[in-house]
Every structure is written in C-alpha cells, then in structure tokens.
Amino acid sequence: MALADVLAFGKDLLKYRHFEDKQGQDGLDGMRHNLRVLKNSNLKDTRLIVCSMEGPYNYPDIDKLLTEPEFQDMNHKVVITAEPNYLARFTSTNQVISYQRRFMNAANGQS
C-alpha cells in the first residue's frame, strides 16, 4: 500500500470516527461505532454488553448517548454492567439494588 493510500485511509478513519468534531471529542466514538454496527447487523437477538466503566461520568454519558435520535431504538439492545457501587451512584432503582445484593452475595460465596 502506498503512503498516499495509507494517509487517505487514516483521514477517512478520523472522519468516520468524528475525531475532528465535537461528537468525537466526548470519548464515546467507540461506543457509537459499536451501536451503529449492531444497528445495521439485523441480528434481532444480539445485545451489546458494556462491561467497562472507567471514569466518573461514563454511565451518564452512555445513558445520554442512548437518548440521541440515532440510538433511541437501541435501548433494549444494550446491557450495561459494572460494579454495583458504581451504578448505585447514579440510580437507586430496584434492578440496581437487586444486582448489588446478588453481586455481594456471590462475592461472599453465598447463592
């Protein structure tokens, strides 16, 4: 591959991932990419599982991303899992409390 081809590919990739505009500066470009791939895959029973929560605002940022018009219909296809204490900072819904109890019981060797 010629250097010009490599540079053109790199430029296209940066444009596709929105690194040069406001959308790509929020750190969710990878999440957007994965959501777009899932959305266009026509796999009805497939889910995107998000396991890694780094930073204090990842969950709220991802939650906000799922309200964007492009991804509003993807809520049912995304499963977010993190340490219960992390999720508990943002919500106290029954699902989080139940998950936290099951997690702590499993960590303590209880069923």
Side-chain angles (χ1 to χ4, degrees):
M1 193 179 244
L3 179 59
D5 293 333
V6 171
L7 292 175
F9 175 75
K11 187 176 179 181
D12 290 343
L13 181 62
L14 290 175
K15 184 178 178 182
Y16 171 76
R17 298 298 284 273
H18 297 278
F19 280 122
E20 296 174 347
D21 60 30
K22 186 178 178 184
Q23 182 185 29
Q25 294 175 5
D26 64 4
L28 296 174
D29 57 300
M31 183 71 178
R32 279 187 189 86
H33 171 74
N34 291 333
L35 286 169
R36 288 178 183 132
V37 168
L38 179 61
K39 186 174 191 168
N40 295 321
S41 67
N42 290 327
L43 299 171
K44 294 179 183 180
D45 295 330
T46 302
R47 303 289 182 263
L48 176 63
I49 301 173
V50 182
C51 297
S52 176
M53 291 289 166
E54 297 174 4
Y57 301 110
N58 273 6
Y59 176 77
D61 289 345
I62 291 170
D63 199 37
K64 183 178 176 185
L65 175 67
L66 292 171
T67 65
E68 291 179 4
E70 181 180 3
F71 305 118
Q72 283 179 343
D73 61 338
M74 300 294 291
N75 269 332
H76 68 286
K77 290 188 157 248
V78 177
V79 177
I80 298 175
T81 181
E83 292 184 25
N85 290 336
Y86 180 88
L87 291 176
R89 292 187 299 177
F90 304 108
T91 183
S92 59
T93 64
N94 292 336
Q95 293 87 349
V96 171
I97 293 169
S98 173
Y99 175 76
Q100 189 171 18
R101 282 191 194 119
R102 286 184 284 141
F103 182 88
M104 294 308 290
N105 287 341
N108 292 326
Q110 301 169 358
S111 8

